[in-house]
């Protein structure tokens, strides 16, 4: 049967009631009870995408108008490609209206992005910590892996400062934190409260309630056995600011990506957090009656932020570099254990950029190398040439005010080892972008091996679409070798090339992550440089950014969160940021024969994984899967 947007789905999307509104009316309800009251029990999952795509016809003009009527776009108007993808996403809701982990009425929305971050993990947390200390009412935070690290130290410092500021105002702030944790109790209830003695211990290292007397902190964990990981990573502050990021809370060598969102999309993220939390909220959230859509908060109203754009596009990132160079002598870095908070986003941008500025006698590439080594706890030597003026590393990317169409394209957790739970909004958004693109697809992801991507990408190349994807060399290779896990990036690239003729391969561009201070990829096993960015851009204006990898775990098992936008200026700056802050495009190009990276002498990178036949690959895979289940390195 042809998947379609049914009358029931339309009714849900156009409804006034959401999980958030129900809890505003009756704070005694748990989000789980609100979901059941609005949508009933979860029904059978829809068809796997591979089956649905066999009969999926292109959306008609009438279909697109119906899809448009199912969103709340405000002053914006989604383009045709966005609406085609959104239509295909809505087709997933018939079986389970909350399969995108948000009330259907809040999937299609709009908002703005004043800041994107493409940088090492700790630089993302630097911004998050500044947002946290400026909170007035509440902080809601979800992530996957949580372990003692610089990221946790920055978070703990921020919570202590938030408590101090709240006390000075004579107020209290509610803080909810949820992360993934697999354990025996999850077989009884996937949602578990984390007791004080556990979350203040050495493994988690959050502040004790005595250290944050003006905060109401509650910590929980979520894991749906066996493989239903909470992999969504996002934060909502005061129902005014939303953060969607790729990073876990740990020490690693990863390049990551974050977007700072404002406007009505924050209501969608707030609703998604409630559904993720599931259990009763005690105390009730202070912002339950203050939706973002009714507010006037906007970073773009800050005079210091407006000054970033006073000289037009010629200023932007280059002005940030100049400001950082000028400030490096008098701005102390914002570090764990020695925090230096800023009152405005513009001031944050300058402080972080100063950390990348060369010290006296230091070259630009040496300054980048110093910072990347510091964040990765490694001692890699720089091998890249000096970056040209105008191509310096700029971790914080400012965007001029633009309201744009947005949609939450996420997926619920699925614990069964089978890959049956495939027809979900995240997967259909990815596939629909590839299906409906007219010019190009760009993807960056740690791993790319989901089974449905092979025919989808091959078909796109064959019909003339330019496909470029950036992946990480050796990212959790052992785990990817397990049966049903999709195989390594090298294996997938070789399979994809075999599907294409030599002429068709000229439209396929496979690159291997190469850090800004390097001239060649470094294998993930050396823990020196890696990339954890999750981004897809179709035709230069529809972008999907979030937590979802292009691998088997993210496609079929983990709970994910992703924001889809329709904005050519934002997608342009994302692509520019990707190229400025890494050398993947310049030095990471794989062979047109099989996609594998080789140097000028035909040698593969040190540590490159050779394809092993079972059962050797399964033994290696068992080791990798064990790491995944420990939430280290794989997610």
């Amino acid at each position: 049967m042809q998947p379609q947007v049914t009358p029931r789905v339309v009714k849900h999307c156009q409804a006034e009631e959401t999980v958030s509104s129900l809890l505003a009316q009756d704070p005694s309800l748990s989000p789980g009870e609100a979901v059941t009251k609005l949508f009933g029990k979860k029904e059978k999952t829809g068809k796997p995408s591979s089956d649905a795509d066999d009969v999926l016809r292109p959306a008609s003009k009438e279909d697109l108008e119906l899809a448009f009527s199912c969103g709340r776009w405000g002053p914006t108007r989604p383009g045709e490609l966005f609406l085609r993808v959104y239509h295909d996403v809505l087709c997933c809701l018939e079986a389970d209206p909350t399969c995108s982990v948000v009330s259907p009425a809040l999937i299609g929305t709009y908002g703005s992005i004043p800041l994107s971050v493409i940088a090492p993990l700790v630089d993302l947390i630097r911004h998050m910590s500044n947002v946290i200390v400026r909170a007035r009412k509440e902080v809601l935070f979800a992530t996957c892996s949580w372990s003692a690290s610089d990221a946790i130290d920055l978070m703990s410092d921020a919570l202590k400062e938030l408590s101090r500021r709240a006390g000075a105002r004579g107020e209290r702030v509610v803080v909810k934190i949820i992360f993934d944790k697999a354990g025996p109790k999850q077989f009884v209830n996937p949602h578990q409260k984390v007791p004080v003695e556990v979350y203040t211990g050495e493994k988690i290292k959050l502040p004790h309630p005595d250290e944050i007397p003006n905060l109401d902190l509650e910590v929980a964990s979520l894991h749906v056995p066996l493989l239903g990981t909470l992999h969504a990573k996002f934060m909502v502050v005061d129902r005014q600011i939303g953060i969607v990021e790729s990073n876990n809370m740990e020490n690693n060598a990863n390049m990551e990506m974050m977007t700072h969102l404002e406007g009505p999309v924050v209501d969608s993220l707030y609703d998604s957090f409630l559904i993720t939390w599931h259990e009763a909220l005690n105390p009730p959230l202070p912002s339950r009656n203050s939706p973002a859509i009714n507010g006037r908060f906007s970073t773009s109203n800050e005079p210091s932020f407006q000054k970033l754009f006073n000289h037009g596009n010629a200023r932007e990132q280059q002005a940030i570099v100049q400001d950082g160079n000028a400030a490096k002598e008098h701005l102390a870095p914002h570090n764990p254990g020695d925090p230096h908070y800023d009152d405005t986003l513009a001031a944050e941008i300058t402080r972080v950029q100063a950390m990348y500025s060369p010290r006296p006698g230091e070259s630009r590439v040496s300054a980048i190398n110093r910072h990347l080594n510091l964040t990765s706890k490694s001692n890699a030597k720089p091998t890249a040439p000096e970056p040209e003026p105008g191509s310096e590393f700029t971790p914080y990317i400012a965007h001029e005010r633009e309201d744009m169409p947005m949609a939450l394209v996420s997926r619920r957790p699925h614990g069964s080892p089978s890959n049956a739970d495939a027809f979900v909004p995240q997967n259909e958004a990815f596939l629909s972008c590839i299906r409906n693109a007219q010019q190009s697809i760009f993807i960056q992801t740690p791993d790319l091996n989901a089974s449905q991507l092979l025919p989808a990408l091959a078909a796109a190349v064959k019909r003339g679409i330019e496909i470029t994807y950036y992946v990480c060399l050796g990212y959790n290779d052992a785990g990817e070798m397990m049966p049903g896990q999709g195989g390594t990036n090298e294996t997938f690239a070789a399979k994809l090339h075999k599907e294409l003729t030599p002429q068709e391969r000229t439209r396929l561009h496979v690159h291997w992550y190469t850090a800004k201070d390097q001239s060649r990829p470094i294998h993930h096993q050396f823990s020196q440089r890696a990339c954890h960015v999750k981004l897809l851009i179709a035709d230069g204006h529809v972008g999907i950014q979030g937590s979802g990898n292009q691998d088997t775990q993210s496609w079929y098992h983990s709970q994910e969160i992703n924001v889809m936008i329709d904005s050519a200026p934002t997608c342009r700056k994302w692509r520019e940021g990707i190229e400025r802050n890494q050398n993947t495009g310049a030095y990471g190009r794989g062979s047109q024969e099989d996609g594998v990276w080789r140097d000028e002498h035909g040698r593969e990178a040190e540590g490159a994984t050779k394809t092993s036949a079972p059962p050797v690959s399964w033994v290696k895979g068992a080791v990798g899967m064990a790491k995944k289940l420990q939430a280290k390195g794989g997610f």
Side-chain angles (χ1 to χ4, degrees), residues 379-396:
N379 59 354
K381 304 298 182 185
T383 60
E386 192 76 350
E388 294 291 329
S391 65
E392 294 91 345
F393 196 116
T394 53
Y396 285 15

Side-chain angles (χ1 to χ4, degrees), residues 570-586:
T570 300
C571 288
R572 172 183 62 82
K573 296 199 76 171
W574 283 351
R575 283 294 285 120
E576 290 174 355
I578 291 287
E579 299 307 322
R580 285 185 75 117
N581 295 353
Q582 55 186 274
N583 284 338
T584 308

Side-chain angles (χ1 to χ4, degrees), residues 262-274:
E262 297 175 359
V265 68
V266 178
D267 289 330
S268 306
L269 296 173
Y270 178 90
D271 196 82
S272 187
F273 186 90
L274 294 178

Side-chain angles (χ1 to χ4, degrees), residues 4 36 99 118 213 250 252 270 273 276 304 402 422 442 475 518-519 521 556 558 570-571 580 592 604 611 619 627 632:
Q4 58 183 315
T36 301
C99 62
I118 301 174
E250 59 189 13
N252 59 41
Y270 178 90
F273 186 90
T276 302
S304 60
E402 177 197 6
F442 172 81
Y475 205 92
Q518 300 299 312
S519 61
Y556 307 120
S558 296
T570 300
C571 288
R580 285 185 75 117
Q592 277 201 344
E604 295 185 30
T611 303
V619 173
K627 290 181 180 179
K632 293 181 179 179

Side-chain angles (χ1 to χ4, degrees), residues 215-231:
L215 304 186
D216 294 311
L217 172 63
E218 193 170 24
V219 183
S221 66
L222 167 61
H223 187 92
V224 179
L226 294 168
L227 299 177
T229 302
L230 172 59
H231 194 243

Side-chain angles (χ1 to χ4, degrees), residues 363-392:
S363 67
R364 287 192 295 271
V365 72
S366 295
I368 296 167
N369 174 258
R370 165 175 49 82
H371 192 76
L372 297 185
N373 278 343
L374 183 66
T375 58
S376 63
K377 314 295 185 186
S378 69
N379 59 354
K381 304 298 182 185
T383 60
E386 192 76 350
E388 294 291 329
S391 65
E392 294 91 345

